[in-house]
Amino acid sequence: MTANASVAGKAPSPRRWAFKRPSERALYGAMGFIGVLVLWEIATDVGIFKKSLMSAPSLIVKAAMTDFGSGAIWPHITTSLSEWAIGFAIGAVVGIPLGLIIGWFRRFDYFASVMLSAIYATPKVALAPMIILVAGIGIEAKVILVLLLSIFAIIVSTVSGVHSVDRRHQQIAQSFGASKRLLFTSVVLPSTIPFILSGLRIGAGRALVGVVVAEFLVANQGIGWYISFNGTMLNSARVYLGILMLGLFGIVLGEMIRVVERRFDSWRPEIH
Amino acid sequence: MPEDGSEWPGLRVALAVPQRRDLVSVAAASGQSADAGYRTIRSRDRKQRSKLSRWYRGNERTVLGITGLVSFFVLWQILAMLGLISEFFFSSPLAILAAGIKEVQNPRFWTDVRISAFELTMGASIALVTAVPLGILIGWYRRVSFTFDPWLNFFNALPRIALLPLVVLWVGLGIQMKILIIFLGAFFSIIMPTAEGVRTVDRTYLDVARSYGATQRKLFTSVVVPATVPFIVTGIRLAIGRALIGVIVGEMYAQTEGLGVMIDKAEAALASDRMLFGVLIFTIAGIITTEAVGVIERYLQRWRPSIDVEEGH
Amino acid sequence: MAVEMAAKDLIMSAKGIRVEYHDRTTKEAFLALESFDLDVVEGEFVTIVGPSGCGKSTFLKVVNGLLRASAGEIKLKAAAKGRDDAMVFQESALFPWYSVLDNVAYGLVCAGMSKKDARERAKPMIRLVGLEGFGDKYPYQLSGGMQQRANLARALTVDPGLLLMDEPFAALDAQTREIMQSELLRIWDQAKKTVLFITHQIDEAVYLSDRVIVMSARPGRILADIRIDLPRPRDLHVKRTPPFVAYEEQIWELIASQMKTSASQFGGG
């Protein structure tokens, strides 16, 4: 069959090409990235896109220069950043030990499991109006929402990490007569680290959702508010600018955690 | 499987004589004095358990899980009744139940449910039918993937709900806006893992298919798609959460109709019981959809051997 | 049955061991071992061979305390110093998050020794198994054979009265396995240990052992207890000598008869 020959002839290993061809990747990536921006610019320029709705890359750059130049955007960035950081930090500090405890003590785990999966399935943003009512319109309400959104991802991932400890590794510790404490520190904790990290990665993203939603619903500062406010003012360039900053923050964050995760890759169990 | 039951003499003995502690006690009774300097590893002293305790041991997870859930609600109720947590802010299980009973008799509630369900189904299914083929395309063709990677990574890292004001700019505050934001939430959650699944298809299987002269089409249906199913399911799981966020926030933002508005209005009217009943509906929706995905996954994955077997020799 | 020996020389004596399993998914019970008796004498190298799933690894786990028998008992000589027994596990049983040195020192840390002292005590063992200079490496940086050397060193470090080895070379390629076999004999000779070794490789069993225990298909029972009278020290050439081949054939006959029985049960076992 001719189709067979042509297929067999190309792409020797679809599983590894992403790592194999960094220069090709960069070339096509740059083409895709710049291409979209250029098309966008042209489309707006010739009137295919409405300027008020779609803006244009050049207008976004101009808006960025204005707002960064005047410094008007910094309070929004610092507000959002501190809401995110405080909520996420509390989530990590409370969530990781809680996840370890739930995963480690079988009966405790059983006891919490139904409750935990019910809470996990609940979209926490639905609680936003209640949180605002209870905690007011200040930073507290936003921190609470961020915390609620991030902590369960961290707990659930940590618990599943403790559960996925390799049974053979446990047997080795048992075989050499390791104490419970040593079993925990020498086997359970190290094998759970990759899971904790992926929990933190997911939790960090969820926390960002919390920041945005809280600021949409009630705020007078922050990137979420900046996007929302400029939307109602039909100032589309600033809407895109705000979205761009959030996306970039998300990418930087993800990469940072991935760098840490890669350090543990050599002994990372297979998970998806 | 034994062809003939009689090939299993050992098994039958095991079932007929559940314990043979006599062996241990005989050894102990013979009282060997030369035992000094030896450690004895004895057999399991199997306790005779009552029927109830055996049942409990078999169902401990379920029993404790339900106990946990029930005690959560009972504790909440008691604390609310004692006034230790404010019923005004946090309501109480019984008040939520009462509000729920009142609510389900209200036709407006069912309109809200229908609208939210419609938005969710539309947004999520459009996302599914577009994201899966596109994900397979991107995962399969290297250059397509490289070209779109920067933008895909950007949208994947972005909390998609941030696009809400933009979507409002584009299509206004109607139901299209909500469907679009739900779609955006779900789409990227599905396309990313799908593409990753295609990228990581085991080469051996592809080689097998090609060496037997499989057409491109056959290659996809016989190897690529089955191998990618677990990834797609993972994507759908993530997408459910994102889509539900889209429903709630989209409705709260637009303030027209749906369960999100119901929650928001209830809270504005300081009716925390009605509001929490609304949240409960979302919890149930989340559980049902996640369970449904699990059922479908188990069906699609029935060829995958179960890994939960004790002692693999 | 086991050769009669003076009680003071016994390192391990198992009587009437019976192990039942419950498959969690099918909820079925099956017998892994039935009325299993075995004596091991000080300084001996004893190997258990048998078809897959005959419960030979199960027995080792019972001795090691990882599994409890449903009946029977085992007497294990209490070591004056060190542990009574230690296990060399099957492939890739090193902790991937510890360096080779920390893996080898692990047993001592379990016994309550400080990490620093344990490392000091582990160093000579690393030298003994031929891993000098690899102490700082992580397991994934080692070949399969080297990983099993470290695995062996970890067990030797706790100075066990009885060394239990659970198919330690099963995952290695043929050449590496032969090298590891002769290395094991060298180390055994230097460390003066009593070894209870599990394998499904007949030539491995004959080459290494003083005694080979041949087991039946499940539920595992002892079919034969064969004394291997080949001169020591043995090098790999011994595998080509007629007495060696005769031992191999004798054991093969016993196992093959079992395979026929089990084939009707398991479709080939």
Side-chain angles (χ1 to χ4, degrees):
Chain A
M1 211 167 274
T2 48
N4 171 37
S6 68
V7 168
K10 69 171 194 196
S13 170
R15 120 188 291 189
R16 259 160 289 169
W17 46 248
F19 308 102
K20 255 191 185 166
R21 302 165 186 256
S23 56
E24 193 182 12
R25 189 191 177 91
L27 177 70
Y28 279 88
M31 264 167 49
F33 183 71
I34 296 164
V36 167
L37 293 178
V38 169
L39 286 176
W40 183 1
E41 186 71 44
I42 294 171
T44 307
D45 213 40
V46 301
I48 299 171
F49 288 165
K50 256 197 189 153
K51 201 177 268 182
S52 59
L53 302 187
M54 285 302 295
S55 191
S58 60
L59 297 174
I60 298 170
V61 171
K62 224 164 86 189
M65 275 154 65
T66 315
D67 281 5
F68 278 99
S70 70
I73 205 163
W74 290 113
H76 300 298
I77 293 176
T78 51
T79 303
S80 293
L81 209 56
S82 46
E83 290 161 2
W84 175 85
I86 298 170
F88 176 59
I90 299 174
V93 168
V94 178
I96 294 169
L98 209 56
L100 290 171
I101 290 170
I102 294 172
W104 179 247
F105 296 103
R106 188 173 53 98
R107 293 222 163 86
F108 199 71
D109 180 25
Y110 290 171
F111 191 77
S113 59
V114 177
M115 220 175 352
L116 209 58
S117 45
I119 298 173
Y120 192 69
T122 308
K124 265 70 67 183
V125 290
L127 293 169
M130 187 171 93
I131 294 165
I132 291 161
L133 184 73
V134 174
I137 57 168
I139 189 171
E140 296 88 350
K142 282 137 206 158
V143 168
I144 292 171
L145 190 64
V146 169
L147 170 67
L148 276 181
L149 270 161
S150 57
I151 194 170
F152 292 101
I154 297 170
I155 293 176
V156 167
S157 190
T158 308
V159 170
S160 75
V162 178
H163 286 178
S164 342
V165 170
D166 193 331
R167 205 157 149 262
R168 281 178 319 164
H169 290 151
Q170 255 173 300
Q171 284 194 338
I172 293 162
Q174 218 183 320
S175 165
F176 285 100
S179 61
K180 284 260 167 199
R181 190 199 154 104
L182 189 63
L183 175 65
F184 188 79
T185 54
S186 68
V187 177
V188 176
L189 208 52
S191 25
T192 308
I193 284 176
F195 290 83
I196 294 177
L197 287 173
S198 74
L200 288 177
R201 185 157 45 77
I202 298 163
R206 300 262 164 97
L208 210 52
V209 173
V211 170
V212 173
V213 171
E215 289 179 355
F216 276 178
L217 294 178
V218 53
N220 49 23
Q221 216 166 43
I223 292 298
W225 179 84
Y226 179 87
I227 295 171
S228 168
F229 175 77
N230 283 305
T232 48
M233 302 308 273
L234 299 180
N235 197 339
S236 57
R238 287 197 167 78
V239 176
Y240 286 99
L241 178 61
I243 291 168
L244 191 70
M245 285 191 301
L246 274 177
L248 289 180
F249 182 65
I251 288 175
V252 170
L253 203 65
E255 281 310 312
M256 269 161 49
I257 299 178
R258 226 160 266 139
V259 166
V260 182
E261 279 184 314
R262 231 164 265 149
R263 187 211 161 294
F264 297 98
D265 253 0
S266 59
W267 47 269
R268 191 196 175 102
E270 296 268 330
I271 44 161
H272 302 301
Chain B
M1 267 285 122
E3 286 166 6
D4 173 3
S6 64
E7 301 264 7
W8 289 81
L11 183 64
R12 198 153 309 135
V13 173
L15 295 172
V17 191
Q19 51 178 15
R20 288 175 62 185
R21 246 186 302 168
D22 49 335
L23 268 175
V24 187
S25 46
V26 167
S30 63
Q32 288 164 359
S33 53
D35 276 6
Y38 284 87
R39 180 163 61 92
T40 309
I41 304 165
R42 284 180 207 287
S43 60
R44 182 168 43 202
D45 200 11
R46 191 172 282 183
K47 290 188 203 94
Q48 195 64 49
R49 291 200 173 84
S50 70
K51 243 193 177 139
L52 185 70
S53 100
R54 247 182 300 155
W55 177 84
Y56 172 74
R57 286 169 65 84
N59 298 282
E60 192 176 33
R61 172 183 281 272
T62 325
V63 173
L64 284 179
I66 292 168
T67 313
L69 191 69
V70 170
S71 32
F72 171 74
F73 284 118
V74 169
L75 192 69
W76 180 3
Q77 184 67 41
I78 291 172
L79 289 177
M81 274 155 57
L82 292 175
L84 290 172
I85 57 174
S86 157
E87 202 159 350
F88 172 72
F89 283 136
F90 301 107
S91 190
S92 70
L94 289 178
I96 296 168
L97 188 68
I101 291 169
K102 221 161 58 186
E103 203 56 18
V104 293
Q105 291 160 350
N106 185 344
R108 200 218 70 255
F109 169 74
W110 291 108
T111 315
D112 284 339
V113 170
R114 256 199 308 279
I115 295 209
S116 293
F118 176 74
E119 293 164 1
L120 183 67
T121 325
M122 286 299 285
S125 33
I126 297 172
L128 186 65
V129 298
T130 50
V132 170
L134 284 175
I136 291 176
L137 187 81
I138 284 172
W140 189 253
Y141 295 103
R142 188 180 69 238
R143 296 196 173 95
V144 178
S145 173
F146 287 169
T147 309
F148 289 104
D149 266 354
W151 289 106
L152 281 176
N153 288 335
F154 174 81
F155 282 109
N156 194 47
L158 176 80
R160 264 89 68 193
I161 200 69
L163 298 169
L164 190 57
L166 198 60
V167 173
V168 173
L169 266 184
W170 290 343
V171 298
L173 286 169
I175 196 160
Q176 307 92 310
M177 174 281 264
K178 290 176 265 179
I179 292 174
L180 188 53
I181 196 72
I182 294 163
F183 164 81
L184 286 170
F187 180 81
F188 294 99
S189 296
I190 299 173
I191 196 169
M192 297 298 282
T194 305
E196 185 60 21
V198 175
R199 258 174 231 142
T200 53
V201 169
D202 193 328
R203 240 198 99 195
T204 319
Y205 299 135
L206 293 175
D207 287 345
V208 170
R210 280 171 185 148
S211 80
Y212 281 101
T215 57
Q216 183 87 338
R217 186 199 160 93
K218 191 76 194 150
L219 202 66
F220 269 80
T221 54
S222 65
V223 179
V224 177
V225 173
T228 309
V229 162
F231 292 82
I232 298 175
V233 173
T234 306
I236 294 174
R237 278 229 177 79
L238 295 171
I240 290 171
R242 300 291 179 157
L244 285 173
I245 291 176
V247 174
I248 297 164
V249 181
E251 288 177 352
M252 285 180 182
Y253 205 80
Q255 285 292 335
T256 46
E257 48 196 351
L259 284 171
V261 185
M262 174 214 152
I263 289 174
D264 208 34
K265 285 205 173 126
E267 196 61 42
L270 301 178
S272 56
D273 46 2
R274 193 147 51 90
M275 179 259 160
L276 281 169
F277 177 70
V279 174
L280 196 65
I281 301 290
F282 278 108
T283 306
I284 292 165
I287 292 173
I288 289 175
T289 40
T290 312
E291 281 302 313
V293 172
V295 169
I296 296 167
E297 181 182 30
R298 274 191 291 280
Y299 173 75
L300 292 172
Q301 297 283 288
R302 62 197 181 282
W303 48 270
R304 213 171 272 262
S306 143
I307 0 171
D308 187 20
V309 180
E310 238 187 23
E311 284 306 305
H313 281 288
Chain C
M1 281 295 112
V3 188
E4 285 303 318
M5 279 278 165
K8 66 177 167 63
D9 287 328
L10 272 180
I11 283 282
M12 186 211 74
S13 170
K15 279 205 174 54
I17 298 300
R18 165 201 179 83
V19 179
E20 286 169 37
Y21 272 125
H22 282 269
D23 192 311
R24 266 189 216 141
T25 43
T26 61
K27 306 240 171 191
E28 268 182 274
F30 61 86
L31 259 186
L33 274 179
E34 168 83 311
S35 359
F36 190 88
D37 300 341
L38 181 67
D39 287 353
V40 176
V41 168
E42 189 147 19
E44 240 185 344
F45 198 122
V46 179
T47 296
I48 304 178
V49 278
S52 293
C54 71
K56 46 195 195 299
S57 290
T58 303
F59 177 67
L60 226 55
K61 282 183 181 153
V62 174
V63 177
N64 196 225
L66 291 175
L67 207 64
R68 292 198 73 180
S70 354
E73 66 170 20
I74 297 171
K75 286 193 199 316
L76 200 59
K77 187 166 187 183
K81 55 186 172 66
R83 283 184 64 82
D84 299 345
D85 60 296
M87 176 93 98
V88 179
F89 288 82
Q90 291 180 25
E91 41 150 352
S92 58
L94 299 172
F95 292 146
W97 46 85
Y98 283 162
S99 68
V100 170
L101 184 61
D102 283 344
N103 264 295
V104 174
Y106 185 70
L108 293 173
V109 175
C110 284
M113 194 180 277
S114 77
K115 226 169 180 165
K116 192 167 155 276
D117 294 346
R119 281 189 186 136
E120 279 312 308
R121 287 268 296 270
K123 276 176 189 158
M125 282 308 153
I126 287 186
R127 221 168 298 131
L128 176 68
V129 299
L131 280 181
E132 201 162 12
F134 289 94
D136 294 334
K137 295 270 188 276
Y138 282 90
Y140 77 94
Q141 295 168 306
L142 265 53
S143 68
M146 286 158 88
Q147 287 187 19
Q148 286 311 73
R149 284 171 195 260
N151 200 347
L152 175 61
R154 176 171 63 188
L156 287 173
T157 307
V158 296
D159 196 13
L162 177 62
L163 188 63
L164 307 166
M165 302 187 75
D166 185 9
E167 305 198 38
F169 308 143
L172 303 178
D173 62 80
Q175 283 80 26
T176 313
R177 195 186 308 133
E178 295 224 311
I179 294 167
M180 287 303 292
Q181 286 165 1
S182 48
E183 276 291 282
L184 175 60
L185 284 187
R186 174 184 70 77
I187 294 161
W188 173 67
D189 198 43
Q190 282 184 31
K192 306 256 180 290
K193 289 285 163 202
T194 311
V195 180
L196 184 54
F197 191 98
I198 304 286
T199 184
H200 58 262
Q201 296 257 325
I202 297 168
D203 81 305
E204 186 167 272
V206 176
Y207 176 63
L208 295 172
S209 317
D210 298 318
R211 268 166 71 206
V212 174
I213 313 292
V214 186
M215 276 180 77
S216 72
R218 205 168 69 198
R221 269 174 302 237
I222 293 177
L223 289 178
D225 183 343
I226 300 165
R227 184 157 290 281
I228 307 294
D229 279 319
L230 294 170
R232 289 194 190 267
R234 297 171 193 167
D235 63 20
L236 286 165
H237 296 292
V238 78
K239 290 191 178 185
R240 254 69 73 186
T241 61
F244 188 95
V245 176
Y247 280 126
E248 269 189 318
E249 298 227 317
Q250 184 190 356
I251 295 166
W252 168 244
E253 290 295 325
L254 283 161
I255 290 178
S257 69
Q258 282 299 305
M259 302 279 256
K260 276 172 212 140
T261 337
S262 67
S264 63
Q265 283 181 20
F266 305 109

